[in-house]
Amino acid sequence: MVAILSGSARKHSNTLRVANAIKHHILEEAPEEQVKIIDFNGFDIPSINQGFVNADALTRWQAELFEAMSEASLIFILTPEYNWFPSAEIIQMIHTFGDTPFVKAWQDKVFVTCGVSNGRGGRMPAVQLGYAINKIISVFNFESMVSAKMFESQFTPKVLDENGHSMGNEEYDKGMRAFVKYNLKLDLRLKKVQ
């Protein structure tokens, strides 16, 4: 299974467009693959000063997120770029779920990062997510990895429609296709090793 975390809390976000585009490309390459998009529009993880998440009493959205991450072998983590940083929601999710009760969400996974922008941008939040996820993998000794092949979705509303379908930008489409294909192949290689 592949999980795609659309890390923007906004409704009908550009990040969700990219999540849908990734799903379309995955299903073109591997029609039998099960793909689950988790839209952070439903985000309800409290910040650290508001309380903690009880792994035995997750909300419906938290349980859906944890289940998708636990069942997936390949996880795309997408974030909008806010002043060169990932979204607060993605950072809070990593902070909260990067803990012992949630090890199933991190073990034996390939994590892929993607930054989303409505103009030029996306690289820095994708790189920063890679650092944070690598730290969790290292601290817990998970047999997982962060893919070197990340993606910057630039000028997103000009290249993808609201459902994530291409609007005909050949260069963007070529990059997206290569990004998805590479990471599907990487996931297959890791599965063979296990």
Side-chain angles (χ1 to χ4, degrees):
M1 183 178 126
V2 179
I4 304 171
L5 311 188
S6 177
S8 172
R10 293 181 178 168
K11 278 189 178 182
H12 312 295
S13 67
N14 288 328
T15 309
L16 187 58
R17 289 182 190 213
V18 178
N20 282 314
I22 290 170
K23 181 176 180 176
H24 299 321
H25 283 281
I26 290 169
L27 295 176
E28 280 178 19
E29 291 291 326
E32 72 290 347
E33 190 67 70
Q34 183 184 357
V35 182
K36 176 80 175 173
I37 294 175
I38 303 296
D39 186 353
F40 274 50
N41 178 245
F43 182 88
D44 62 2
I45 297 172
S47 65
I48 192 67
N49 63 343
Q50 295 174 323
F52 295 93
V53 170
N54 180 347
D56 296 320
L58 297 175
T59 67
R60 185 175 177 181
W61 186 86
Q62 293 164 8
E64 185 179 4
L65 170 66
F66 181 54
E67 183 179 300
M69 290 182 72
S70 298
E71 291 178 6
S73 60
L74 177 60
I75 301 175
F76 288 83
I77 302 182
L78 284 56
T79 180
E81 179 173 307
Y82 294 130
N83 297 321
W84 302 284
F85 287 96
S87 71
E89 291 80 10
I90 282 289
I91 296 301
Q92 186 61 27
M93 182 279 294
I94 291 171
H95 170 75
T96 301
F97 277 46
D99 198 3
T100 306
F102 302 103
V103 295
K104 285 172 49 181
W106 304 98
Q107 177 65 21
D108 298 322
K109 314 287 180 201
V110 174
F111 292 95
V112 184
T113 64
C114 174
V116 179
S117 178
N118 62 0
R120 291 200 186 280
R123 177 175 297 172
M124 286 313 299
V127 169
Q128 290 164 343
L129 283 178
Y131 291 152
I133 296 163
N134 267 319
K135 185 67 174 176
I136 290 170
I137 291 169
S138 173
V139 167
F140 286 94
N141 289 317
F142 292 135
E143 293 179 4
S144 295
M145 65 179 297
V146 176
S147 172
K149 185 81 164 172
M150 55 186 138
F151 190 71
E152 305 159 41
S153 181
Q154 300 185 2
F155 301 104
T156 304
K158 295 180 180 176
V159 295
L160 297 173
D161 71 14
E162 290 182 4
N163 298 310
H165 295 293
S166 171
M167 293 168 69
N169 184 306
E170 289 181 29
E171 190 175 336
Y172 181 93
D173 295 343
K174 181 180 176 184
M176 171 67 81
R177 216 174 358 262
F179 168 67
V180 170
K181 197 170 188 174
Y182 177 97
N183 287 300
L184 284 172
K185 196 182 292 185
L186 191 60
D187 181 46
L188 277 176
R189 286 185 183 164
L190 189 63
K191 285 177 184 170
K192 287 178 184 175
V193 172
Q194 293 172 352

